[in-house]
Amino acid sequence: MSDIYDELEEIKRRHEIEKHNELKEEYQVDPSCLKCYNINEIEIGDWFKRFWKIFQKVILEAMSYNRNTYTKLMEYIVLTRKDGEENYPSSKKKRNKEFEKIRKEGEKLLDIVVRSIRYRNKSDYRKVGIISVIKVISEHYILSEDNEFILDDQTEENLLGNKELLTYRYIIEDDELDIRFARFEKWLEEIESVTIKNKGYGIMRNLKKYYI
């Protein structure tokens, strides 16, 4: 968030003055405010505590989180979670529409997550890099195939050595994967090799490994 750090600091400064010092009715909203979005009334699950532990090992400047961080991250995980047995939409139009809807909603949630975190100083990571870190943890490590939240020591090791993140500093999005897979399908049709039917999201996740 090196690209938005100064903006976040200004928002924090104005919010503290207008909301908590001058008690104005109209004030600058700060998603990272620990007073407005305190966590005293909610129970922070172990899954999030583990997430935060790993996140801080990658984003060293991350200092604190609040209710926004917790709830919006949970919403993002639920939004983007796909069952490995769920059919991958065969219609390109339907597929694009579904991906675009999820992408837009996900971007809004992740924007709040990034802005809800307070940083002790300017990070080397840009906003898009921090979002990539959150996505890697959320989409690949927090939910097990049985829809249980897990983040064990082995997962931590795998994340910190994530080839895709370390190599490209971002992760391949579903829409980009969709484009690459469409090209692959077209090539198979041209050589009259095979026809792929009932593509599941589990298959797509495995194919992604070979596209990077």
Side-chain angles (χ1 to χ4, degrees), residues 2-145:
S2 57
D3 51 332
I4 62 170
Y5 178 78
D6 292 338
E7 174 192 346
L8 297 183
E9 286 297 295
E10 177 61 18
I11 288 174
K12 182 172 67 175
R13 186 190 69 80
R14 285 184 54 195
H15 175 80
E16 184 66 26
I17 294 173
E18 296 173 5
K19 167 70 174 178
H20 300 295
N21 294 344
E22 298 178 351
L23 305 178
K24 291 183 177 181
E25 293 185 3
E26 295 185 4
Y27 53 85
Q28 170 68 56
V29 176
D30 176 18
S32 74
C33 182
L34 300 175
K35 299 174 184 176
C36 297
Y37 306 102
N38 67 73
I39 57 176
N40 296 334
E41 298 179 359
I42 63 173
E43 182 179 353
I44 301 298
D46 288 339
W47 69 269
F48 183 85
K49 293 176 182 178
R50 293 172 181 173
F51 164 88
W52 185 250
K53 176 184 176 183
I54 304 301
F55 182 77
Q56 284 189 304
K57 287 189 176 183
V58 181
I59 309 300
L60 303 177
E61 296 77 13
M63 183 170 58
S64 62
Y65 61 85
N66 62 19
R67 189 168 68 250
N68 264 336
T69 320
Y70 184 81
T71 58
K72 297 307 178 183
L73 179 62
M74 173 70 82
E75 289 178 29
Y76 174 76
I77 295 171
V78 172
L79 173 69
T80 57
R81 176 63 178 169
K82 292 295 183 182
D83 189 337
E85 299 302 319
E86 184 178 346
N87 282 340
Y88 191 74
S90 57
S91 167
K92 183 177 180 180
K93 183 176 181 180
K94 181 179 180 181
R95 193 159 64 224
N96 290 343
K97 184 177 181 180
E98 178 182 321
F99 284 156
E100 184 63 16
K101 179 181 178 181
I102 292 176
R103 185 186 67 79
K104 287 183 177 180
E105 292 180 13
E107 282 182 352
K108 292 179 181 178
L109 292 171
L110 289 178
D111 181 70
I112 297 175
V113 172
V114 172
R115 291 174 178 274
S116 69
I117 296 169
R118 288 199 167 174
Y119 308 87
R120 57 177 53 88
N121 49 51
K122 188 176 294 188
S123 171
D124 291 334
Y125 279 79
R126 293 171 61 84
K127 178 183 175 182
V128 66
I130 294 179
I131 286 177
S132 287
V133 172
I134 295 172
K135 284 182 175 180
V136 168
I137 301 174
S138 301
E139 296 174 3
H140 300 286
Y141 299 104
I142 288 183
L143 283 176
S144 71
E145 293 301 320

Side-chain angles (χ1 to χ4, degrees), residues 157-172:
E157 181 180 335
N158 291 341
L159 174 63
L160 296 178
N162 184 280
K163 175 184 175 183
E164 185 178 358
L165 182 60
L166 294 178
T167 302
Y168 303 104
R169 291 294 179 180
Y170 78 104
I171 62 174
I172 297 177

